[in-house]
Amino acid sequence: MPTLADVVDLLHDWYPPRTADAWDAVGLVAGDPAAGVSRVAFAVDPTLEVAREAVAWGADLLVVHHPLLLTPVSSVAATTPKGRTLHTLTAGGCALLTAHTNADQAESGVSAALASALGLVDAVPIRPAPGEPLDKVVVFAPVASADAVRAAMTDAGAGRLGDYDSCTWSTPGEGRFRPLDGASPAIGRVGDLEVVEEVRIEAVVPRGRRTAVVRALLAAHPYEEPAFDVLPLADAGLATTGTGRVGAVEETTLEQFAARVAQALPATAHGVRVAGDPARRVRRVAVCGGAGDFLLDELAHGDADVYVTSDLRHHRAGEFLEHGGPALVDVAHWAAEWTWLPVVEARLRRALGDRVETRVSTLCTDPWTFRPGSHESSPQSSPKQEGR
């Protein structure tokens, strides 16, 4: 049986807490890392009803998307709503872990799961996560000393690219200099113009290692005043993690695509709202799990035909449409993010096999429960998914 620490390590490897937004509250909320885990439940919201369901099923761990303690509290006594939820879990021996904005951006995270559920192919982040800050360090060394300088740079951390190290590039050239009074040249004489066969050595360096690499090359270099460059590199935006997703679908109409969205997501009283011409052709789709109006400005001038997200505000949506951008499809926040639960469940089962049982909660925790005069309402649950 894996321990809670084992399961937490897996989830944190897939959805690193360091990638969460600064304001977020993610990670292990309650539980003994040394305790065994044989049953893991998954849900969007840590509500009291979800906690009771998890405990009744015998879960040792409840993994949720939304934080229980996002806003500070001064008490978690069972007389408070959050306290009742936490007390129910701890009294039932069930730990609690949150993966929120760290799960939003991941390769198999919330937006990626929503994109997959809606049939998008070749989906990439709308806003790629920032790459590691990199510099290129360039130095010019005499041929006889080039290997020593190159080795000093790589030993200090230069030239590490993915699963490779000692990655450098060199080209021969000609160096010219004149030592002046006061100089103590390693090559040449004071007052004489010197021409030396040199090697240009380049290596990519993590920005945090920049100073160490420069110090190392200076220490290894035979010249009194070596020439070198430090060039900051632009982020190419190639990260496979990041905010939202945009991808292709087989050509359809907005009306047909919206029907596909409604069919793919769990039923809610909110349903699916659409802004745009029903006959508009749809080939490229952008999505963002959760509240996504912060991406509207980026999408206004992109190539997406429709944008699927949640919690769109009246004025922002109206102003966006006035600029002739993509059509809008507004879905229930809970329904969009629920699509991630089967994905992370399947991932955990692949990693741990039959050592754990898993279960995705189908309790609808969307806060909107009905529409007056309509037969549409949020069901207490979607079709049941048994523990596996």
Side-chain angles (χ1 to χ4, degrees):
M1 180 189 301
T3 65
L4 176 59
D6 294 330
V7 180
V8 170
D9 286 346
L10 279 174
L11 292 166
H12 283 181
D13 184 48
W14 301 333
Y15 313 107
R18 69 178 182 277
T19 63
D21 291 338
W23 51 263
D24 207 357
V26 302
L28 186 63
V29 179
D32 179 1
V37 171
S38 62
R39 287 188 167 188
V40 181
F42 298 87
V44 174
D45 297 295
T47 64
L48 181 58
E49 293 75 20
V50 167
R52 287 170 174 166
E53 179 189 59
V55 169
W57 179 60
D60 303 300
L61 171 64
L62 173 62
V63 177
V64 295
H65 182 50
H66 290 147
L68 175 67
L69 303 173
L70 182 59
T71 55
V73 296
S74 59
S75 170
V76 289
T79 53
T80 66
K82 293 183 184 298
R84 281 192 289 273
T85 296
L86 193 58
H87 177 76
T88 298
L89 291 170
T90 54
C94 183
L96 177 65
L97 182 142
T98 299
H100 191 209
T101 53
N102 52 321
D104 285 333
Q105 299 193 54
E107 289 187 42
S108 62
V110 174
S111 287
L114 178 59
S116 178
L118 300 185
L120 276 65
V121 296
D122 300 327
V124 296
I126 298 171
R127 182 189 292 172
E132 179 185 16
L134 298 173
D135 295 316
K136 181 184 287 186
V137 175
V138 181
V139 64
F140 306 88
V143 172
S145 303
D147 286 344
V149 172
R150 188 182 295 109
M153 293 172 64
T154 57
D155 287 347
R160 294 177 184 171
L161 300 174
D163 295 330
Y164 296 82
D165 67 9
S166 302
C167 301
T168 63
W169 187 81
S170 301
T171 187
E174 189 176 83
R176 293 171 178 262
F177 54 86
R178 187 196 312 273
L180 302 177
D181 289 341
S184 179
I187 298 175
R189 295 181 301 178
V190 172
D192 293 344
L193 182 65
E194 195 68 32
V195 180
V196 181
E197 290 186 11
E198 294 184 337
V199 175
R200 175 188 173 106
I201 303 168
E202 300 184 15
V204 173
V205 179
R207 189 152 296 157
R209 299 297 302 166
R210 175 172 63 190
T211 299
V213 169
V214 171
R215 285 176 174 164
L217 75 85
L218 291 175
H221 207 290
Y223 287 176
E224 191 176 24
E225 297 289 346
F228 66 90
D229 300 325
V230 178
L231 310 173
L233 299 181
D235 187 350
L238 299 177
T240 54
T241 59
T243 303
R245 292 296 185 275
V246 58
V249 295
E250 185 174 348
E251 184 172 331
T252 184
T253 66
L254 179 59
E255 184 174 28
Q256 291 167 335
F257 177 74
R260 180 193 303 177
V261 173
Q263 185 176 18
L265 300 184
T268 61
H270 176 288
V272 176
R273 303 186 301 176
V274 185
D277 179 358
R280 176 174 180 158
R281 307 311 296 178
V282 172
R283 303 175 187 85
R284 194 155 178 82
V285 176
V287 305
C288 181
D293 63 1
F294 66 97
L295 288 173
L296 287 175
D297 290 341
E298 293 175 47
L299 292 168
H301 306 292
D303 61 354
D305 300 305
V306 60
Y307 178 38
V308 183
T309 191
S310 304
D311 304 338
L312 290 173
R313 292 172 290 176
H314 174 90
H315 293 295
R316 288 287 282 131
E319 292 169 356
F320 178 80
L321 294 171
E322 289 174 351
H323 288 85
L328 297 175
V329 175
D330 185 280
V331 301
H333 191 124
W334 170 85
E337 295 183 328
W338 186 92
T339 60
W340 173 66
L341 303 183
V343 173
V344 64
E345 180 205 28
R347 197 171 188 182
L348 190 68
R349 289 185 59 79
R350 286 194 299 271
L352 298 178
D354 59 4
R355 294 194 293 160
V356 295
E357 292 182 73
T358 60
R359 184 177 187 178
V360 170
S361 174
T362 56
L363 285 175
C364 179
T365 52
D366 193 73
W368 310 108
T369 54
F370 71 94
R371 291 178 181 271
S374 171
H375 296 296
E376 295 291 333
S377 63
S378 289
Q380 287 300 304
S381 67
S382 300
K384 290 292 183 182
Q385 176 178 336
E386 298 299 327
R388 293 181 289 175

